[in-house]
Amino acid sequence: MVGLLALPEGTDQRPGVLISHEGPGLDDFGRSRATRLAELGYVAFALDYHGEGQPIADWDAMSARLAELSADPLRTRALGAAGLDVLLAEPRTDPGRVAAIGYCFGGTLSFELARMGADLKAAVGFHAGLATARPEDASQISGKILALIGADDPFVDAAQRRAFEEEMRTGGVDWTLVLYGGTEHSFTRPGAEAVGRPGIRYHEPADRRSWQAMLNLFEEVFA
């Protein structure tokens, strides 16, 4: 598994951010999130939870892989924890100021890390699947949860959102769910509609606003 570690300028310790890629796999978009965060002063590690540092080109193969991980949250958490170990092994990472973010299933992975009790100040999911096979583990979440979802995302429907809300309430979590109107899945990826699947489309306002919402949360939890 081949990820990308990006460091900010300087030599001091900085907050660390673990980045989990979209369903197909780690690509230039996922790696660019790490470099973008490093430019803002964070230590950022874009992990690779499929392997070989390459996306899965075939839609059916990718869907099968994600189905396996969705059915086995403990395996998903182990993959995320391995990435977190890499981030924490970097001397410039402040271990007391760490967050996990992710896109699509990568957001799901970030939330699963929080559910396993990882020491995260925040977990952020961009158009992330919100369902889990172990909702009772929400009681182990110690950091803040931010879910950024398109209101018209066919992969994260109203029923899934309601179940997530109930899970967060039952677990006593500090959580926020933001819905962007007129917005579908993969709204952060320019050209997302090129995949040719219904319900997948870039939305510039939601992309910009969701990134700012994440930065606002970082400012709060890393202060």
Side-chain angles (χ1 to χ4, degrees), residues 134-189:
R134 297 176 62 94
E136 66 276 10
D137 291 350
S139 62
Q140 300 183 103
I141 297 175
S142 59
K144 300 181 188 299
I145 296 291
L146 175 60
L148 305 156
I149 307 295
D152 298 333
D153 187 335
F155 304 101
V156 190
D157 61 16
Q160 189 177 149
R161 298 197 303 262
R162 285 193 297 269
F164 178 76
E165 291 177 23
E166 183 58 31
E167 176 197 355
M168 295 294 103
R169 291 191 185 97
T170 301
V173 179
D174 185 337
W175 64 282
T176 301
L177 171 62
V178 180
L179 292 180
Y180 297 100
T183 304
E184 300 170 89
H185 194 65
S186 291
F187 61 80
T188 61
R189 175 183 281 271

Side-chain angles (χ1 to χ4, degrees), residues 93-115:
T93 301
D94 181 346
R97 294 190 292 168
V98 175
I101 74 168
Y103 297 79
C104 185
F105 189 81
T108 306
L109 185 150
S110 298
F111 292 152
E112 289 293 353
L113 270 178
R115 291 182 180 108

Side-chain angles (χ1 to χ4, degrees), residues 32-33 118 183 212 219:
S32 74
R33 304 301 89 178
T183 304
Q212 188 60 53
E219 183 176 353

